[in-house]
Amino acid sequence: MNSIPILMTIYRLVAAPVAAGMALAGYREAFFALIALSLLSDLLDGPIARWLKQESAVGAMLDTVADGGTVLAALVGIYLFEAESLRPELPWLLLFLATYVAAAGAGVLRHGALPAYHLYLSKAAAVGSAIFFLWLFLLGYERSLFLGVIGVAVLANLESLLVSFVLPRFHADVGSLARAVALARKDRADLDLGSSDL
């Protein structure tokens, strides 16, 4: 557990319920600070893991759980503090949540694990979310930015859902649906080769 990226992920796992608690208690600055640090650590832990050669399946799985906690805590706080602005956007938030749950459920049903695919589209959604979150805290609500981030996040969730159904077995750090298709072909070829050896 001395891996720096895993320690950063553990921070996010702990920070998510604390941030949600801060939001429920009405501490806006504390909530925003905790989520901002979580978003920053989420953007940095992957590159740090690659740089230090500390990538691992456990780290990828923990990262996915921490991402989910951060997303839920952020949604709770943003809705509590920005209810007036976000109430008209409830259908978009529900669409995001529905696709998020569907993607997570597909990973669990197909492979017995949350989808730790780390898709490029998901990373783009994470960067967009961090920008939206900081903009919201510093400058106020911007609808076009919110809709853009939600749109990318929904597409990322749908891509994750498709990857779960394309892959015959679990892979972490897939990157894209195109790479998932290539991995699926390789997995099927390996299975065919293995069965022909029997």
Side-chain angles (χ1 to χ4, degrees):
M1 279 297 193
N2 59 356
S3 159
I4 291 170
I6 286 183
L7 291 174
M8 292 171 76
T9 301
I10 289 171
Y11 159 76
R12 293 206 320 280
L13 287 167
V14 173
V18 174
M22 292 291 107
L24 290 167
Y27 295 110
R28 187 175 192 271
E29 285 75 17
F31 161 76
F32 272 94
L34 286 168
I35 296 295
L37 280 173
S38 290
L39 292 171
L40 180 62
S41 84
D42 184 35
L43 294 174
L44 294 177
D45 64 358
I48 289 172
R50 286 187 288 280
W51 181 57
L52 296 176
K53 300 190 181 346
Q54 293 181 340
E55 297 166 281
S56 69
V58 170
M61 297 299 286
L62 279 176
D63 185 66
T64 299
V65 174
D67 288 350
T70 301
V71 165
L72 293 175
L75 286 174
V76 166
I78 288 172
Y79 199 80
L80 287 173
F81 293 122
E82 302 292 333
E84 181 104 10
S85 300
L86 288 178
R87 198 169 289 116
E89 316 298 2
L90 190 56
W92 294 110
L93 287 170
L94 291 175
L95 175 63
F96 165 75
L97 282 173
T99 57
Y100 191 83
V101 169
V108 170
L109 288 173
R110 285 276 294 161
H111 306 296
L114 289 169
Y117 305 135
H118 295 108
L119 303 170
Y120 300 124
L121 203 50
S122 297
K123 291 176 185 176
V127 171
S129 297
I131 292 168
F132 169 75
F133 193 81
L134 291 173
W135 189 291
L136 179 65
F137 180 64
L138 298 172
L139 301 170
Y141 179 68
E142 174 58 50
R143 186 169 195 257
S144 58
L145 183 55
F146 169 79
L147 291 177
V149 169
I150 284 287
V152 173
V154 167
L155 289 174
N157 292 339
L158 293 174
E159 184 181 29
S160 177
L161 179 70
L162 289 172
V163 167
S164 288
F165 286 105
V166 164
L167 291 174
R169 66 182 183 86
F170 178 77
H171 289 272
D173 301 323
V174 173
S176 68
L177 180 57
R179 182 151 185 265
V181 169
L183 286 168
R185 285 192 188 121
K186 184 180 179 308
D187 285 350
R188 289 190 185 95
D190 290 348
L191 285 170
D192 291 343
L193 187 62
S195 61
S196 67
D197 289 342
L198 296 177

